[in-house]
Amino acid sequence: MALLTAHRRVLHADLQGDRIRAASGSMVAVEGNVDFKSSGMGGGGGMRAALKRAVAGESLSLMDCAGHGRVYLALDAMDVLVVDLTGDTLTVESEHILAHTEQLRLDVQFAGLRGMTSGQGLATTTVTGHGQVAIVSEGPVMALEVAPGADLVVDPDAYVGSRGQLSMNLVSGVSWKSVVGEGTGEPFSLRFTGSGLVLVQSAER
Amino acid sequence: MTYPPGNPYGQPQGNPYGGQPQPYGQPQPYGQPQPYGQPQGNPYGGQPHGQPQPPYGGQPHGGPPQPPYGGQPPQPVPGGAPSGVPSTLDPHTLPDDDNVNPYVFCIALNGEWFMSKGAMLAYYGTIQFDAVTEYSSVQAWVASRFSSPVYIQDWVVAQGHGKLLIGDRGFDLNSYDLDDGNLTIKASNLCAFSRQLELKQSIVPGFVTLIGTGKFIASSNGPVIFVEPPFRADPDALLGWADCPAPSVHHDAQWMTQNVRGMISGALGRASGEERQYDFTGQGTILLQSSEVAREDPAVLRLVESQTQLLTNSQAGALGQRLIARAQQQ
């Protein structure tokens, strides 16, 4: 089975005759005998996913890497984090996906208002199944725990993804006094309630 | 909770991804613990600085570990577990007023802090952000602490209780303790400061001065380098200075005359930028960052604009024509 290993800013993908999907153009080096081909529309998720993505404005361009050997993947010198999924779902911004193993399924989830403020499209990507997904971030990712009584508010520009039973609301950090005059610079934030983990990067986009 | 060396990223507990938390190399404090200059007469109030103490706590607080990029080969992780996975953080495991990692600082907020707009990454608890402009009309202490009309639009007051995580473009963050002293810093690199400190606009454009006793957080592109005067610094790499009585602009005549091109551009009044340096004399410490990448500071425009009041009407017209010509060239 293909194995993804993060080495600071480079992802090592060891292939043993199987395939992974990786962000187009992220290959920096390859050892062994590996074939690359475009996954086509929708990042390999089929026609329906492609359609949904087109509607949602969520862009994701993936390529298939198959064969025997090791592929080195990197994106804009961003930090790499590998997440193991065992049947659960990870919600992640599509621009943060570097690679995932074949068994995982990517889908589009409509995120409503949030996308309108952060300019990242109306939708977010969910990753479901058993396998590994590699995500990239500006600076190391912090996994912040959300529990009942410990709500978390995140800057939309620093938000990378989340996992668990969470509900996301758009909150306005602007008090009534700010409506007149200049804003506070944090006009909208995401408030997470429930229980789960929120992945936050250390720089704003 | 402190920032113990050897355990850079909090407790390795409850790892959600089943992997090994892999610290980013060994924590290395920045350089030597170098006190900011000698204790000396206090220009504010006439009293001496008191005991010969390191006036600002000596060095950046909880100096974040420097990821030795390239220095240490990636360790093969036994068992093929994913590496680099962070441990889970919650309101209790987040540090109090300390670095979470080299690029993120956690403020244990209980009251008010001044914060640069957009520095907030995330927070737990109930925290409200208000523009300093609105705040200063309601609460007099804000107006007395924040006396810089040029920068007031870029700052907010964070008020409430909770854990507040701040970051700045992924730059290294450090906290500094100011003990009845003064420190001048590049305005775009100052992220937050406690309400006990007083902020004033420096005479050097683009810089602000913090006076008093309190804590502030500043970012630097790469580790901070501490230098003692006499010293000349490139304006872009200059981060700030403490206790230096006399920063002045130095024009390197040698640079301008050593080659023909420099001479021509010098005679025409053009500057390559490299001949302009800041000269520091006297007692104190100079802070440098290891990069010259500067961010566009919106306050600089307002600052220069306010200076044009010194010009007569005809001078202002001539300047306007030159600026138009420059804008059309680009």
Side-chain angles (χ1 to χ4, degrees), chain A residues 6 143 145 153 155 163 175 204, chain B residues 17 83 89 118 121 123-124 130:
Chain A
E145 194 174 340
V153 180
D155 186 331
R163 162 183 221 184
S175 66
E204 290 157 334
Chain B
Y17 306 118
S83 60
L89 296 162
L121 293 176
Y123 66 84
Y124 287 107
D130 288 303

Side-chain angles (χ1 to χ4, degrees), chain B residues 43-128:
Chain B
Y44 306 97
Q47 284 178 335
H49 246 285
Q51 304 310 311
Q53 54 188 352
Y56 309 109
Q59 76 251 54
H61 237 239
Q66 280 315 296
Y69 287 110
Q72 191 180 337
Q75 302 150 359
V77 181
S83 60
V85 176
S87 57
T88 311
L89 296 162
D90 63 31
H92 306 290
T93 56
L94 278 171
D96 283 347
D97 291 333
D98 211 340
N99 279 74
V100 181
N101 63 39
Y103 321 104
V104 179
F105 191 88
C106 179
I107 300 171
L109 190 71
N110 190 5
E112 296 100 350
W113 267 69
F114 288 102
M115 250 181 67
S116 162
K117 257 187 199 175
M120 186 271 277
L121 293 176
Y123 66 84
Y124 287 107
T126 49
I127 297 174
Q128 199 183 342

